[in-house]
Amino acid sequence: MSAHAAPSKRLTLGDLAAKKQSGEPIVMVTAYDFPSAQIVEEAGVDMVLVGDSAAMTVLGYDSTVPVTIDEMLMLTKAVRRGLEKPLLVGDLPFGSYEASDELALATAQRFIKEAGVDLIKIERGGTTVDRARALVNAGIPVVGHVGLTPQTATSLGGYRAQGRTADAALAVIDDALALQDAGVSVLVIEAVPSEVTAALAPLLRIPLIGIGAGADADGQVLVFHDLLGIYAGGVAKFVKRYADVRGVSVAGVQAYADEVRDGVYPAPEHGYGMPEAEAARLRELLAER
């Protein structure tokens, strides 16, 4: 485990606040199943997001919009079973919270009761601020999300950086401050110029987690499949690939296929044997037939 690995106890929101206060960066990553949860657990990350990015990286949809509550719950429950120390964040999918406070509360309660999440994540400012306030008032910790919000990327002009003019940057900052005032515990800011994050960070009392938003946030988050090079699709400019898991995996399966076709696998050491007496007895029984 890394020298910077998380402590052995289960992390809390108080621990995140302490990290922000001391200037210790917060490490957040996505995970979508039991094996990936075990990997990020052993790596010592602080927060794990079961993001609706699973729609594309795991389920094969062309955007985050089609993924359902039941699909997200299935993935989130699998991740919960693989985690001990990091805080677990459940991402509410598109259409599961926007319409009313009651809908948001009912969906969030399912993620808490059925999947055991520690926090709920919702996107955008605007009416989402009301949804966030309702969840907080019900005792549910919330992660807000501003800047590029994939669930509404079409209305933002596609998957592109936000806040690139002074007016647009101010709108992102206002959304962030409104979410803080609504009581969210953590804020994610995605795909904005570094200057926006640098201007916002001193205004926040809560931890700010960046993704494609520069180094002035209190922590960073990346998608598991992007940073490990698993996902075959294109990646954003801000993604750094730390491994080529897909390349290694393809090479491994190709080697297996070649050995099967060449008659190399399975070799005798890959099989099971019978005591000679039992093998002889089997031959006798078959001969009697």
Side-chain angles (χ1 to χ4, degrees), residues 97-114:
Y97 63 91
E98 298 92 336
S100 68
D101 293 347
E102 292 74 18
L103 178 62
L105 184 57
T107 305
Q109 287 172 335
R110 288 194 66 188
F111 276 76
I112 293 170
K113 294 178 68 173
E114 298 178 33

Side-chain angles (χ1 to χ4, degrees), residues 151-239:
Q151 292 178 4
T152 52
T154 300
S155 67
L156 298 174
Y159 290 90
R160 60 180 63 182
Q162 302 297 304
R164 303 189 75 170
T165 67
D167 288 339
L170 187 59
V172 171
I173 291 172
D174 285 343
D175 281 344
L177 294 176
L179 285 165
Q180 176 174 253
D181 290 343
V184 303
S185 299
V186 180
L187 191 68
V188 171
I189 184 167
E190 180 172 356
V192 301
S194 300
E195 293 87 347
V196 179
T197 304
L200 173 61
L203 305 177
L204 294 177
R205 305 179 301 273
I206 58 176
L208 178 64
I209 309 297
I211 175 169
D216 287 294
D218 300 303
Q220 299 293 326
V221 59
L222 278 179
V223 170
F224 183 86
H225 287 58
D226 288 345
L227 74 92
L228 291 181
I230 299 173
Y231 183 49
V235 296
K237 175 184 179 181
F238 54 77
V239 172

